[in-house]
Amino acid sequence: MQICQCFIIMSYTIESIVEKTGARRLGNKPATIDWLLTDSRSLCFPEETLFFAIPTKRNNGARYIPDLYERGVRNFVVTSEDFKGLTMDSEQLKVTMAQECNFLIVPNTLKALQKLSEQHRGSFQIPVIGITGSNGKTIVKEWLHQLLSPDRVIVRSPRSYNSQIGVPLSVWQMNEESELGIFEAGISEMGEMRPLQNMIKPTIGILTNIGGAHQENFFSLQEKCMEKLSLFKDCDVVIYNGDNEMISNCVGKSMLTAREIAWSMKDIERPLYISRVEKREDHTVISYRYLEMDNTFCIPFIDDASIENSLNCLAACLYLMVPADQITERMARLEPVAMRLEVKDGKNNCILINDSYNSDLASLDIALDFLYRRSQSKGLKRTLILSDILETGQSTTTLYRKVAQLVHSRGIEKIIGVGAEISSCASKFDIEKYFFPDTKALLASDVIKKLKNEIILIKGSRNFSFDLVSEELELKVHETILEVNLGAMVANLNHYRSMLKPETKMVCMVKASAYGAGSYEIAKTLQEHHADYLAVAVADEGSDLRKAGITASIIIMDPELTAFKTMFDYKLEPEVYNFHLLDALIKAAEKEGITNFPIHVKLDTGMHRLGFEEKDIPQLIRRLKNQNAVIPRSVFSHFVGSDSPQFDAFTRQQIERYEHMSTELQEAFPHKILRHICNTAGIERFPGAQFDMVRLGIGLYGISPIDNSVINNVSTLKTTILQIRDVAEEDTVGYSRKGHLVRPSRIAAIPIGYADGLNRHLGCGHGYCLVNGKKAPYVGNICMDVCMIDVTDIDCREGDQAVIFGDELPITVLSDTLDTIPYEVLTGISTRVKRVYYQD
Ligand SMILES: *Cc1c(COP(=O)(O)O)cnc(C)c1O
């Protein structure tokens, strides 16, 4: 999850913050704080910002203080060690900083942030709903907002800000106008709920469900459930699924004093009895009995998760005494919750960022921040298309003054406003601007046709139908796309990081277009998450990344002799595996007058592919010592079979050889040479072989090389049905009459073939795709651009989606069928398949 953004709050004086956090203050500059910042990249209003230097496993926010100071920030929360570190070299600096800044010294900066948030929460007496559970938290929160906001001013977590940092920032948004709070709490290990409980202090608790997500740090599901329930310690009421035995047992054991509204489809004795759930074509009819009264409502969804989410919402509405007829009316209008920012290619070299999430200031800020980060060095103009923001509790002028400030601070160059309110505040924006009374007027205008070379954030409130705007601007492509979930990739990165010692560095492998996922967006995201190195195969992949603005260190695994100049120009650090390459490289560098260009020395410890051997080391040392054009930055080797116990003895032998050879090299040089040997499987299976760095590949893309299990699925390959026809039993389908039928069949054609990377061996019933969640086998030979699938037993129409692989159909099912490895299937998806990125 992307956390740590900039948050608007009620104004506090620095004195009152000192008092609330119990901090020791150095400096006495008067200040008023409107914004909290934990991620330096999100800075927008330096003067009114208070920066919390929060340490993470591998980084410390304090590192960014000098940069923030340069950019005008003057208020910082730090530990005394942080402060010592900052002023270590200069007594003078200490004096200057104390004159110009306020440093609030605390023992623990995260705790200080949380304490502040607790105190802030303590000054409000309003009801607060706290939501926890494994899935559905954000949807339940957003639906409750949809159901309850007509009658009250609600403050809620933006997106899924539910972590140790996300919660304090969310709670911080409470102000005098707030009448109800709705906050999510997410945990991934024992003991994390307590601080969240202290900040949220819910009066109404909802447990959505308990599943396997984030299970790795818990002993059992039950333990996780008990930890989650501790959020409800002081609640007046707790809402949960009474049919879930484990949850019911845990609630029984947890000795909560709260009233319980357990809902049940089986037990009429439960406080909320669900007497009927009837799925129709596109909606579900639900009847319930509560306090002796029977009522019915519909929701415009038919999946089980939506039904469960709606029942949790129902219980909360009933408890808050929303009249039954209003519940019925509002349930029928529930809107799906799109929780992601979509990045798509638009016409005329535009990039579209589609934020179909609700529109409010906090989520506008997040989206603008996202846009700003994407725009850097792409040379595209930054444009915002924004509708009226339907946020209660602020006057139009105040609201749009804040919008204008945000727009200005995030470097937006053009605004297109849609709606009466934003139009009435046109004068507040002093950039290129256009205003329209409604979406129709915008679509009819020239302004939309003239968008060109721009990166455009499209953000509209629901009733403005901005999907029409993005549809108009989207580049229409081949209907087959590879969807890449950047959030899942980050989760995988963190999953593997959690297996490393904090000081172990990481190379992220983005070779072969990031295993097929597309290098730029992946590299960009990895860079944002502080990957130490990126590695690509050839120099051109590296220079493309540089041209697109990637500044992280890049290793070239396969440096061609013809590409040295490119490598020097773009500071791409080559792997060097033999003397021929080394000599040529040194010569080329000397010719350019380059010194100390970093190289990565590869050793052969058993793969017998590329690399120096043991007997080469003394000569290698001599050759390197004899010049100063290049310098060994790292020394590494590669495992042959670290994924399989069958080769463990060999792997250990490789480690031993590597240890020996790399030590010999290191001892010949005074500077530190980074050592690394582990790939993904090595990280998991040989934690003792981390050395200084590891190289993460396939795991980043969601696949565990050990058992082919999927960690967090990143890529989904999907397409749409072009045509459906009935074919008689005696007929055949496709080339060479290979598609034989055993009954009269419905056959669908989809626009994906072997030229897109759909392996021909999946044809003739060997493989299948999913249509509306059901298996549709490939019928007959797969063609170059199209193939046919059997949908006889599937309720589907032309235009429906077919998933080739994805969340429900793991790519490993395909690679197993094809008797190959997932790497090959992933990297085989051809470049003509459009990559579409999104972020949860
Ligand atoms: C591709 C590659 C990796 C990553 O391997 P995974 O199995 O995908 O983790 C590591 N090191 C080298 C040298 C590679 O070429």
Side-chain angles (χ1 to χ4, degrees):
M1 182 183 70
Q2 185 119 8
I3 49 168
C4 334
Q5 313 276 341
C6 206
F7 264 74
I8 197 155
I9 58 165
M10 295 179 9
S11 291
Y12 276 94
T13 61
I14 194 82
E15 287 78 15
S16 69
I17 290 179
V18 168
E19 190 192 307
K20 286 184 181 6
T21 51
R24 185 161 60 88
R25 176 176 174 185
L26 294 178
N28 51 12
K29 200 175 150 68
T32 309
I33 300 301
D34 290 329
W35 301 83
L36 295 189
L37 184 70
T38 60
D39 180 338
S40 63
R41 295 166 301 186
S42 301
L43 177 67
C44 46
F45 302 108
E47 295 79 15
E48 296 90 33
T49 289
L50 177 62
F51 178 72
F52 284 76
I54 294 182
T56 60
K57 265 202 188 124
R58 31 188 58 237
N59 215 336
N60 187 351
R63 276 178 45 190
Y64 302 99
I65 290 177
D67 172 49
L68 288 166
Y69 175 82
E70 285 287 302
R71 291 154 73 193
V73 180
R74 292 294 177 267
N75 300 287
F76 304 94
V77 179
V78 295
T79 63
S80 52
E81 290 83 72
D82 292 336
F83 189 71
K84 260 190 235 140
L86 281 168
T87 52
M88 196 164 51
D89 302 329
S90 156
E91 200 57 30
Q92 178 58 36
L93 183 65
K94 202 162 169 173
V95 176
T96 327
M97 293 234 268
Q99 276 166 355
E100 285 186 33
C101 302
N102 293 300
F103 279 91
L104 308 193
I105 314 284
V106 296
N108 178 317
T109 48
L110 175 62
K111 290 231 168 74
L113 173 67
Q114 296 182 337
K115 195 161 163 189
L116 203 46
S117 153
E118 267 169 46
Q119 305 237 348
H120 184 68
R121 166 70 181 93
S123 54
F124 300 95
Q125 296 300 322
I126 59 174
V128 167
I129 304 179
I131 308 173
T132 191
S134 302
N135 297 304
K137 294 187 287 291
T138 304
I139 295 181
V140 169
K141 178 193 69 194
E142 288 306 319
W143 279 2
L144 281 172
H145 180 256
Q146 292 179 25
L147 292 164
L148 296 168
S149 64
D151 318 314
R152 61 209 96 203
V153 180
I154 297 179
V155 52
R156 67 194 194 283
S157 331
R159 293 187 175 270
S160 46
Y161 274 45
N162 58 29
S163 68
Q164 298 291 319
I165 297 176
V167 167
L169 295 176
S170 301
V171 168
W172 211 282
Q173 300 181 102
M174 293 175 88
N175 62 35
E176 288 103 343
E177 320 249 310
S178 316
E179 292 166 340
L180 172 72
I182 313 180
F183 301 113
E184 288 178 43
I187 55 167
S188 51
E189 52 190 272
M190 284 301 287
E192 283 191 333
M193 195 53 99
R194 201 190 154 90
L196 302 187
Q197 195 273 337
N198 283 337
M199 291 181 278
I200 298 176
K201 282 264 181 290
T203 57
I204 301 169
I206 301 179
L207 180 62
T208 56
N209 55 33
I210 293 287
H214 299 291
Q215 183 60 38
E216 59 271 22
N217 299 319
F218 292 95
F219 178 65
S220 65
L221 272 186
Q222 192 151 348
E223 184 189 75
K224 180 160 67 177
C225 188
M226 293 303 282
E227 172 79 11
K228 293 204 170 184
L229 285 171
S230 66
L231 176 64
F232 306 147
K233 197 161 60 103
D234 302 324
C235 279
D236 300 328
V237 64
V238 174
I239 291 165
Y240 63 95
N241 175 355
D243 292 337
N244 183 315
E245 235 170 85
M246 202 247 323
I247 296 181
S248 296
N249 286 341
C250 288
V251 172
K253 269 197 228 151
S254 64
M255 299 192 297
L256 296 169
T257 49
R259 185 179 143 195
E260 290 173 27
I261 304 187
W263 52 264
S264 172
M265 301 186 191
K266 299 176 192 152
D267 182 358
I268 195 161
E269 298 299 315
R270 290 289 199 172
L272 175 55
Y273 174 57
I274 311 302
S275 51
R276 178 176 67 140
V277 174
E278 195 183 316
K279 295 185 188 181
R280 306 263 176 86
E281 178 154 350
D282 59 357
H283 64 279
T284 306
V285 183
I286 300 174
S287 302
Y288 62 95
R289 166 169 291 194
Y290 180 72
L291 301 179
E292 322 263 290
M293 301 281 279
D294 289 299
N295 282 294
T296 295
F297 66 92
C298 294
I299 53 168
F301 302 91
I302 53 172
D303 59 292
D304 292 337
S306 295
I307 294 170
E308 188 170 329
N309 290 334
S310 76
L311 294 176
N312 283 318
C313 293
L314 170 70
C317 290
L318 291 169
Y319 176 77
L320 288 168
M321 296 194 285
V322 181
D325 54 338
Q326 284 189 11
I327 294 181
T328 304
E329 184 202 318
R330 291 173 192 172
M331 284 280 186
R333 286 189 279 120
L334 280 184
E335 301 257 357
V337 178
M339 289 183 298
R340 54 201 219 178
L341 291 167
E342 270 181 339
V343 185
K344 284 188 181 158
D345 285 339
K347 295 174 187 163
N348 302 326
N349 192 33
C350 287
I351 293 178
L352 312 178
I353 300 175
N354 216 335
D355 186 0
S356 43
Y357 200 68
N358 46 55
S359 86
D360 55 41
L361 268 187
S363 73
L364 175 66
D365 184 29
I366 294 171
L368 286 174
D369 186 28
F370 185 83
L371 172 138
Y372 187 75
R373 292 183 192 195
R374 301 281 124 177
S375 72
Q376 280 162 334
S377 76
K378 279 205 158 175
L380 299 177
K381 183 170 188 169
R382 289 182 285 267
T383 300
L384 168 66
I385 305 183
L386 180 68
S387 78
D388 281 354
I389 294 181
L390 305 177
E391 187 165 289
T392 37
Q394 297 205 47
S395 77
T396 309
T397 12
T398 320
L399 182 62
Y400 291 99
R401 200 188 59 237
K402 287 182 186 165
V403 171
Q405 277 177 355
L406 280 177
V407 161
H408 175 72
S409 69
R410 296 286 182 216
I412 297 293
E413 295 156 282
K414 182 201 276 191
I415 181 162
I416 301 173
V418 181
E421 291 188 0
I422 192 168
S423 300
S424 75
C425 296
S427 62
K428 300 207 182 315
F429 299 91
D430 50 8
I431 47 176
E432 185 183 348
K433 54 189 171 184
Y434 306 91
F435 292 89
F436 299 92
D438 53 35
T439 308
K440 219 170 118 199
L442 167 65
L443 289 172
S445 76
D446 256 4
V447 170
I448 197 151
K449 294 187 190 77
K450 289 202 176 129
L451 294 169
K452 193 172 181 186
N453 301 328
E454 293 169 53
I455 177 162
I456 307 167
L457 172 64
I458 303 169
K459 187 154 177 65
S461 302
R462 267 182 219 112
N463 46 348
F464 280 86
S465 311
F466 266 18
D467 40 335
L468 298 175
V469 177
S470 41
E471 212 167 280
E472 172 66 29
L473 295 175
E474 248 170 58
L475 193 65
K476 300 286 179 294
V477 289
H478 193 59
E479 288 103 329
T480 301
I481 58 165
L482 184 75
E483 254 189 15
V484 180
N485 181 344
L486 295 173
M489 188 201 58
V490 171
N492 293 327
L493 176 73
N494 292 332
H495 171 77
Y496 283 97
R497 263 189 183 159
S498 72
M499 300 180 192
L500 303 178
K501 292 174 287 184
E503 65 274 17
T504 307
K505 293 178 189 293
M506 192 184 265
V507 186
C508 290
M509 308 304 290
V510 294
K511 61 191 181 189
S513 277
Y515 289 48
S519 8
Y520 171 68
E521 286 288 341
I522 297 283
K524 175 85 183 154
T525 308
L526 289 168
Q527 173 170 303
E528 277 173 13
H529 288 83
H530 311 293
D532 300 286
Y533 272 98
L534 304 176
V536 295
V538 295
D540 281 349
E541 288 182 273
S543 59
D544 284 348
L545 288 179
R546 285 278 184 261
K547 286 177 202 156
I550 300 294
T551 53
S553 301
I554 298 178
I555 302 178
I556 307 295
M557 309 299 290
D558 181 15
E560 313 97 307
L561 294 167
T562 50
F564 290 155
K565 183 80 166 64
T566 310
M567 288 186 265
F568 298 145
D569 289 350
Y570 290 98
K571 195 163 185 300
L572 305 169
E573 308 174 12
E575 160 186 325
V576 173
Y577 51 80
N578 67 8
F579 288 113
H580 179 62
L581 178 60
L582 179 62
D583 289 340
L585 187 66
I586 291 172
K587 207 161 145 203
E590 282 171 348
K591 198 170 127 212
E592 300 284 331
I594 287 170
T595 53
N596 289 329
F597 198 77
I599 62 168
H600 302 267
V601 175
K602 183 175 216 174
L603 306 177
D604 181 12
T605 56
M607 175 79 97
H608 298 335
R609 184 171 66 178
L610 299 170
F612 292 97
E613 293 175 30
E614 182 134 30
K615 65 171 171 39
D616 300 328
I617 303 282
Q619 191 191 341
L620 175 63
I621 290 170
R622 254 178 282 131
R623 186 71 188 98
L624 286 171
K625 288 204 144 212
N626 235 332
Q627 54 82 50
N628 68 352
V630 303
I631 182 165
R633 175 79 180 104
S634 88
V635 54
F636 71 104
S637 189
H638 196 34
F639 286 136
V640 170
S642 54
D643 54 331
S644 164
Q646 161 186 16
F647 304 118
D648 280 359
F650 190 79
T651 303
R652 276 192 286 271
Q653 194 182 330
Q654 280 195 286
I655 297 173
E656 218 169 278
R657 276 192 199 140
Y658 172 72
E659 171 92 59
H660 180 74
M661 290 162 73
S662 61
T663 305
E664 194 179 340
L665 186 73
Q666 172 68 81
E667 282 176 352
F669 292 90
H671 73 279
K672 167 94 193 147
I673 304 177
L674 295 170
R675 301 204 290 169
H676 47 116
I677 190 166
C678 281
N679 56 355
T680 304
I683 297 172
E684 288 193 44
R685 300 195 58 248
F686 295 90
Q690 285 173 24
F691 294 97
D692 303 308
M693 189 148 85
V694 295
R695 301 185 305 274
L696 181 64
I698 192 81
L700 204 45
Y701 307 100
I703 296 152
S704 163
I706 291 166
D707 55 2
N708 268 355
S709 64
V710 174
I711 309 151
N712 295 287
N713 182 50
V714 172
S715 294
T716 300
L717 180 59
K718 51 165 86 158
T719 185
T720 40
I721 295 178
L722 294 178
Q723 194 176 17
I724 298 181
R725 77 177 77 245
D726 292 311
V727 182
E729 186 177 340
E730 60 277 15
D731 281 0
T732 59
V733 176
Y735 281 123
S736 309
R737 305 206 64 187
K738 285 282 193 208
H740 302 287
L741 305 175
V742 293
R743 54 175 177 171
S745 304
R746 282 183 87 217
I747 301 297
I750 52 178
I752 181 169
Y754 57 79
D756 298 288
L758 185 67
N759 195 301
R760 241 178 122 256
H761 295 105
L762 291 169
C764 298
H766 295 304
Y768 61 89
C769 62
L770 292 182
V771 173
N772 297 333
K774 297 217 173 72
K775 290 183 187 179
Y778 297 107
V779 185
N781 279 326
I782 287 173
C783 315
M784 186 185 289
D785 308 311
V786 183
C787 66
M788 278 69 82
I789 53 178
D790 184 341
V791 293
T792 313
D793 299 322
I794 304 175
D795 181 17
C796 63
R797 273 167 253 179
E798 288 170 6
D800 280 1
Q801 256 178 14
V803 174
I804 310 300
F805 61 77
D807 294 354
E808 265 91 56
L809 174 50
I811 188 163
T812 48
V813 171
L814 277 71
S815 57
D816 288 348
T817 306
L818 293 167
D819 197 18
T820 181
I821 47 177
Y823 300 68
E824 187 181 356
V825 182
L826 277 176
T827 55
I829 301 159
S830 62
T831 48
R832 80 173 185 195
V833 175
K834 194 92 209 151
R835 270 70 174 168
V836 176
Y837 300 91
Y838 68 93
Q839 175 144 329
D840 279 329

